[in-house]
Amino acid sequence: MASVLVVEDDQFVRSALIRHLTEASHTVRSVGTALEALREVAHVGFDVVILDLGLPDLDGGEALKMLRGITDVPVIIATARDDEADIVRLLNDGADDYLTKPFSVEHLSARMAAVLRRSRATGAEPPSRVIRVGGLSIDPLRRQAELDGVALDLTRREFDLLAFLAGRPGVVVPRRELLAEVWQQSYGDDQTIDVHLSWLRRKLGETAARPRYLHTLRGVGVKLEPPR
């Protein structure tokens, strides 16, 4: 089972989450502020963090950015906000998933299981060879990527997506396969893929309208190939 940090200032919601997760045999710690969460994550190794956005000392979105500065632990956002721009921003800032309140404990369990599967799958032994496509150089073992000799600052999910596509240069990969192999999900929202592709393109110095490496074939999938 997993070690979970619940970051939630509403005592009723917090108690319910702790009870449910404990009954599911998870090890649970909980805090009510962003600063407490940062201290906990800095000193304790968690498998997943459930992060509320409406914290009393700091907005959860800012807390997420600070968490990403010190750890790659998977973070599930728990929020009452359902604005698409907010959701896209949170995914860009490093959230692994999000849930809109109110949600059922069954829904939370399913999202946690999916995030943990993805996290554990990417923790498996990666291939040792360095992948080169055009000016891209990707080292799966060291989890480092360079473009034209310059290191790329990628999030965990961005690196996984880039490495997966680079390992199949010129091959159009269906979105369903990306969800299964990179996100370890049998289903999901295409928006998740689009957000990460957009962020990755920006770091590669390209856009969807003027692609260099990443090419989207509408209704088919995505491929990575060297610039022509």
Side-chain angles (χ1 to χ4, degrees), residues 6 10 20 23 28 72 77 87 113-114 117 122 125 140 157 193 202 211 216 227:
V6 174
D10 186 307
H20 163 68
E23 288 174 351
V28 185
D72 275 339
I77 298 293
I87 292 168
R117 282 197 303 271
T122 55
E125 187 67 21
R157 191 68 65 229
I193 298 176
R202 190 174 303 179
T216 299

Side-chain angles (χ1 to χ4, degrees), residues 17-65:
L17 288 174
I18 293 170
R19 183 175 64 255
H20 163 68
L21 293 169
T22 302
E23 288 174 351
S25 301
H26 297 297
T27 301
V28 185
R29 293 171 72 100
S30 66
V31 294
T33 68
L35 293 181
E36 288 175 314
L38 291 167
R39 281 196 294 266
E40 285 288 312
V41 168
H43 294 96
V44 181
F46 294 99
D47 294 313
V48 62
V49 174
I50 300 171
L51 177 64
D52 176 39
L53 291 183
L55 300 173
D57 60 334
L58 189 67
D59 180 78
E62 293 302 313
L64 173 64
K65 293 179 183 178

Side-chain angles (χ1 to χ4, degrees), residues 6-163:
V6 174
V7 188
E8 170 64 66
D9 69 320
D10 186 307
Q11 191 59 51
F12 177 79
V13 175
R14 187 171 165 183
S15 298
L17 288 174
I18 293 170
R19 183 175 64 255
H20 163 68
L21 293 169
T22 302
E23 288 174 351
S25 301
H26 297 297
T27 301
V28 185
R29 293 171 72 100
S30 66
V31 294
T33 68
L35 293 181
E36 288 175 314
L38 291 167
R39 281 196 294 266
E40 285 288 312
V41 168
H43 294 96
V44 181
F46 294 99
D47 294 313
V48 62
V49 174
I50 300 171
L51 177 64
D52 176 39
L53 291 183
L55 300 173
D57 60 334
L58 189 67
D59 180 78
E62 293 302 313
L64 173 64
K65 293 179 183 178
M66 296 174 73
L67 282 171
R68 279 292 165 257
I70 61 174
T71 181
D72 275 339
V73 63
V75 177
I76 299 176
I77 298 293
T79 175
R81 307 173 194 173
D82 59 2
D83 180 73
E84 181 177 342
D86 281 340
I87 292 168
V88 170
R89 176 177 56 80
L90 291 165
L91 290 171
N92 281 338
D93 288 342
D96 292 82
D97 206 343
Y98 63 90
L99 282 169
T100 303
K101 295 178 180 178
F103 51 81
S104 67
V105 292
E106 291 79 14
H107 195 174
L108 172 62
S109 293
R111 293 298 184 100
M112 273 187 57
V115 165
L116 289 169
R117 282 197 303 271
R118 298 197 297 266
S119 177
R120 288 162 182 168
T122 55
E125 187 67 21
S128 58
R129 69 182 180 90
V130 175
I131 304 169
R132 302 185 192 280
V133 181
L136 276 171
S137 175
I138 301 160
D139 187 337
L141 194 60
R142 292 185 173 87
R143 294 187 65 80
Q144 295 174 348
E146 295 181 351
L147 176 61
D148 299 327
V150 179
L152 294 171
D153 183 15
L154 304 178
T155 66
R156 183 181 70 252
R157 191 68 65 229
E158 289 166 357
F159 182 89
D160 292 341
L161 178 58
L162 180 64

Side-chain angles (χ1 to χ4, degrees), residues 132-136 147-148 169-170 204-206 210-215 223-228:
R132 302 185 192 280
V133 181
L136 276 171
L147 176 61
D148 299 327
L204 294 177
E206 61 182 71
R210 302 186 66 180
R212 296 182 64 236
Y213 285 91
L214 293 171
H215 300 264
K223 69 177 178 177
L224 183 147
E225 61 184 10
R228 297 177 180 177

